[in-house]
Amino acid sequence: MGLESTEIPKSWCSTKLSDVFEVLGGGTPSTDKSEYWNGEYPWVTSADIEGVREINIRRYITKKGVEKSTTNLVPAGSILVVTRVGLGKVAIAEELICFSQDVQALIASEKNISQKYTLYLLAYELQVLKFQGRGTTISGLTKKQIKDLSFPLPPLNEQHRIVTKIEELFSELDKGIESLKTVREQLKVYRQSLLKHAFEGKLTEQWRADNADKLETADELLARIHQEREARYQQQLEDWKKAVKEWEEINKVGKSPPRPKKPTPVNVHEANKSELPEGWKRVSLEALLAFGPINGWSPKAIDEPTSTKAITLTATTSGKFDGTKYKYIDTEIPKHSSLWLKHNDILVQRGNTIEYVGVPCLYSGKDNQFIYPDLMMKIQTADSASSQYVVSYMGTMEARNYLRSRAVGAAGSMPKINQQTLSSLPIPLCSVAEQTKIIEILDERVSICDSCSDYIDEQLKKIESLRQSILKRAFSGQLVPQDPNDEPASELLKRIAEEKAQMEATAKAAKAATRKPKMKAAKKTAVKKKVKTQ
């Protein structure tokens, strides 16, 4: 596992974690026994471990709770390792503590083993395990797997030198990470500023002046969209009449075809009109739609591949469609179903954490390749409205705040927006030609932002890779030079073994001492029974 086959210096020892530490598992007292809880001993689970020295103690158990469960009390300074949900988290107990079955405790004397050396080593080993795909399910790692982890043991003085060097190098990496994240935040601010100016007409101010005699007004565009919507409705009405006739011919089996909805009147927002250029107008989103919003559907997923792929919520959280995020379902979806995604559909997250509520995404893939889940809605713009223009505006803070502020949900539940909220979103409208120009400018400038952001993400990944490389060098004896005056690790390991043997002998004697009175009592009972029989 990770470091098993790594060559180490002659002054080191290649051993297992259980040769250096006493490893103790945890447990949970019965929650049905009130006498086990609200006592004096802090008890933690993997969820309570938030950092190396950040343990959020929420529950306490009694002495009886300790005695009547498989948990163990361990002293301050013990290292706690999460082995199930949250695999990879490690922490140092700052006080006497006990813990659940999701955690294993490592106990050793600091005069022999550096705590920080162990923490960095575990961070490396567990990361390698996760990368290899082991122990990442709820079953996690077993106690035996933890005990069998390789533990390259340097002399004690070298352990401290290694820790000092690691922290020095990590400090430089952290500065680099901080700088990159600062630039990334600045890019986000610039991007929002760019979008704000775009939908205030500032990016196209000169272009608009140069083409003033060629541009239709928002009112003229709305009239054209209204005609398109009315024509579409009339076609839907004809299709519906045919569908009803066919339904009647089969003796009205099943539900009758639903009558199409008549287009709603355009809602014009007169407020903030002065903020828009002449010829623009602020309207509700529904005025620009050919259809929608329509909620999706979330059937049960299966493991075997089928002909129907249902995208997951994570497929659009970035604002870009990710066709690799889907699950298979075994339900046949008719080809005419509105659940199928069509080219140029706009997907909107209607339910998620508040950060993602209302996130839009333009689907530019093939028709009838994916269906979408219940926590999404889809819309499609009329022919005379740009879908990319609508998606870009929905990415502004103005639009995001409008939708987020109207998300509803009971305390502790997922916030959601409904179809009416999405339909009522105010959107600044200009001519189709100007919409096209705005998208052209945004594509050019936003693509630069995206490239910079991608570069930052790439550098952050490289830094994390470099961090792992530093740890690998540290635990193979290549990070700091060896000192011939250091006590060899073989002597250290011998001393650790002697101390462990002495501790085990002491514990065994103490255990035996507690059993003697019980044995005597048992003998007395036997004698009494014998006398009574006679």
Side-chain angles (χ1 to χ4, degrees):
M1 291 185 186
L3 295 167
E4 289 172 341
S5 59
T6 303
E7 290 188 16
I8 55 175
K10 291 181 180 179
S11 57
W12 290 33
C13 280
S14 181
T15 184
K16 294 188 299 183
L17 187 138
S18 59
D19 293 331
V20 180
F21 290 91
E22 182 183 1
V23 183
L24 294 175
T28 303
S30 172
T31 53
D32 296 330
K33 304 282 187 179
S34 58
E35 63 268 29
Y36 294 169
W37 297 91
N38 300 318
E40 64 273 34
Y41 298 113
W43 177 85
V44 298
T45 70
S46 59
D48 301 326
I49 297 175
E50 299 175 359
V52 171
R53 295 191 184 274
E54 296 179 45
I55 300 177
N56 179 25
I57 298 171
R58 295 179 294 176
R59 305 192 72 181
Y60 291 78
I61 62 175
T62 62
K63 183 178 180 182
K64 194 172 183 180
V66 175
E67 293 170 348
K68 296 295 183 179
S69 70
T70 56
T71 193
N72 280 290
L73 274 172
V74 295
S78 300
I79 295 174
L80 304 180
V81 184
V82 175
T83 57
R84 296 195 183 187
V85 180
L87 172 66
K89 293 195 289 186
V90 291
I92 298 172
E94 301 284 355
E95 59 185 310
L96 187 71
I97 205 168
C98 53
F99 43 92
S100 73
Q101 60 274 15
D102 293 335
V103 179
Q104 298 284 329
L106 313 181
I107 305 170
S109 171
E110 274 200 80
K111 68 180 183 181
N112 296 324
I113 300 294
S114 162
Q115 274 186 339
K116 287 186 175 180
Y117 176 85
T118 304
L119 289 171
Y120 283 124
L121 176 61
L122 287 171
Y124 175 79
E125 285 274 51
L126 294 174
Q127 185 63 29
V128 170
L129 280 174
K130 290 174 72 174
F131 182 75
Q132 291 174 342
R134 300 180 61 182
T136 54
T137 63
I138 195 169
S139 59
L141 289 174
T142 64
K143 184 175 182 178
K144 184 178 185 307
Q145 286 174 309
I146 288 291
K147 293 175 76 171
D148 287 345
L149 280 174
S150 58
F151 197 95
L153 181 67
L156 183 58
N157 288 339
E158 191 170 345
Q159 291 178 38
H160 294 306
R161 292 199 301 274
I162 288 172
V163 167
T164 300
K165 189 63 177 177
I166 287 174
E167 292 184 341
E168 176 189 325
L169 294 173
F170 277 16
S171 176
E172 292 301 314
L173 292 181
D174 289 340
K175 289 177 184 176
I177 290 173
E178 186 178 347
S179 297
L180 288 169
K181 288 183 175 179
T182 298
V183 174
R184 186 162 63 183
E185 289 305 309
Q186 290 171 342
L187 281 172
K188 289 180 181 178
V189 172
Y190 170 72
R191 186 189 186 111
Q192 281 302 319
S193 176
L194 195 62
L195 289 172
K196 185 174 186 294
H197 286 169
F199 296 102
E200 289 176 348
K202 293 178 181 177
L203 290 187
T204 47
E205 189 170 7
Q206 185 58 53
W207 178 90
R208 191 167 53 253
D210 294 341
N211 295 273
D213 57 334
K214 304 173 187 175
L215 303 178
E216 65 181 343
T217 65
D219 284 328
E220 292 169 337
L221 175 58
L222 283 172
R224 189 148 52 84
I225 291 174
H226 177 73
Q227 290 175 355
E228 289 176 8
R229 294 176 69 185
E230 186 61 33
R232 181 182 176 87
Y233 170 68
Q234 293 301 327
Q235 182 60 53
Q236 288 174 331
L237 208 56
E238 290 301 315
D239 293 342
W240 170 72
K241 289 176 182 178
K242 290 179 183 178
V244 169
K245 189 175 181 181
E246 291 174 359
W247 175 67
E248 290 173 341
E249 288 174 353
I250 59 171
N251 298 320
K252 300 183 179 181
V253 175
K255 291 183 179 180
S256 63
R259 185 185 180 100
K261 292 181 181 179
K262 189 174 179 64
T264 55
V266 174
N267 185 6
V268 177
H269 295 258
E270 295 297 337
N272 302 322
K273 187 177 179 182
S274 60
E275 297 176 4
L276 299 176
E278 186 177 350
W280 286 41
K281 194 176 286 289
R282 197 179 297 274
V283 300
S284 294
L285 175 62
E286 63 183 343
L288 309 182
L289 302 182
F291 67 78
I294 305 172
N295 288 7
W297 180 50
S298 295
K300 186 177 180 180
I302 61 173
D303 294 330
E304 297 79 16
T306 66
S307 60
T308 308
K309 297 175 182 177
I311 61 168
T312 62
L313 205 55
T314 54
T316 67
T317 46
S318 68
K320 296 179 181 178
F321 188 83
D322 185 348
T324 65
K325 304 290 180 65
Y326 63 84
K327 57 188 180 182
Y328 291 107
I329 62 169
D330 61 358
T331 306
E332 284 291 329
I333 307 295
K335 291 300 179 184
H336 63 270
S337 171
S338 62
L339 289 171
W340 289 108
L341 291 181
K342 306 288 185 181
H343 184 75
N344 260 4
D345 279 347
I346 298 172
L347 291 165
V348 182
Q349 299 217 358
R350 74 177 190 90
N352 204 329
T353 59
I354 197 65
E355 178 186 359
Y356 295 110
V357 168
V359 166
C361 175
L362 182 63
Y363 176 71
S364 54
K366 297 178 181 177
D367 290 355
N368 293 27
Q369 191 172 7
F370 299 99
I371 67 168
Y372 63 106
D374 175 60
L375 288 174
M376 288 184 193
M377 293 182 276
K378 78 169 182 176
I379 56 177
Q380 191 162 108
T381 59
D383 293 339
S384 294
S386 165
S387 55
Q388 185 60 62
Y389 178 87
V390 170
V391 168
S392 297
Y393 175 71
M394 290 182 68
T396 64
M397 287 306 299
E398 183 179 53
R400 297 299 308 284
N401 289 338
Y402 178 91
L403 296 175
R404 287 173 183 169
S405 65
R406 288 161 175 76
V408 296
S413 65
M414 180 184 290
K416 298 184 182 75
I417 55 173
N418 58 30
Q419 295 178 4
Q420 184 178 357
T421 297
L422 180 60
S423 297
S424 67
L425 173 68
I427 179 169
L429 182 65
C430 57
S431 67
V432 173
E434 191 164 0
Q435 290 179 38
T436 303
K437 188 62 181 179
I438 287 171
I439 294 306
E440 180 186 318
I441 295 172
L442 286 178
D443 280 347
E444 180 184 348
R445 299 189 189 180
V446 170
S447 65
I448 295 174
C449 287
D450 289 343
S451 296
C452 291
S453 185
D454 290 344
Y455 174 78
I456 288 171
D457 289 341
E458 184 183 337
Q459 295 309 305
L460 288 171
K461 287 178 183 177
K462 285 183 178 179
I463 288 176
E464 285 308 309
S465 177
L466 182 56
R467 199 185 294 270
Q468 288 298 102
S469 178
I470 288 170
L471 292 176
K472 185 174 183 179
R473 285 175 58 81
F475 304 126
S476 59
Q478 299 175 49
L479 193 63
V480 298
Q482 282 71 53
D483 187 341
N485 296 317
D486 286 341
E487 176 192 49
S490 56
E491 293 299 318
L492 175 59
L493 188 59
K494 189 185 299 182
R495 189 165 62 253
I496 291 171
E498 290 171 354
E499 289 181 5
K500 282 187 69 179
Q502 187 177 352
M503 286 175 60
E504 289 172 3
T506 303
K508 189 179 289 185
K511 195 172 184 180
T514 58
R515 286 178 178 171
K516 285 180 182 178
K518 292 181 181 178
M519 290 173 65
K520 288 178 181 177
K523 286 180 180 179
K524 285 181 181 179
T525 302
V527 170
K528 284 181 181 178
K529 285 183 178 179
K530 189 174 182 181
V531 170
K532 191 174 181 180
T533 304
Q534 292 173 345

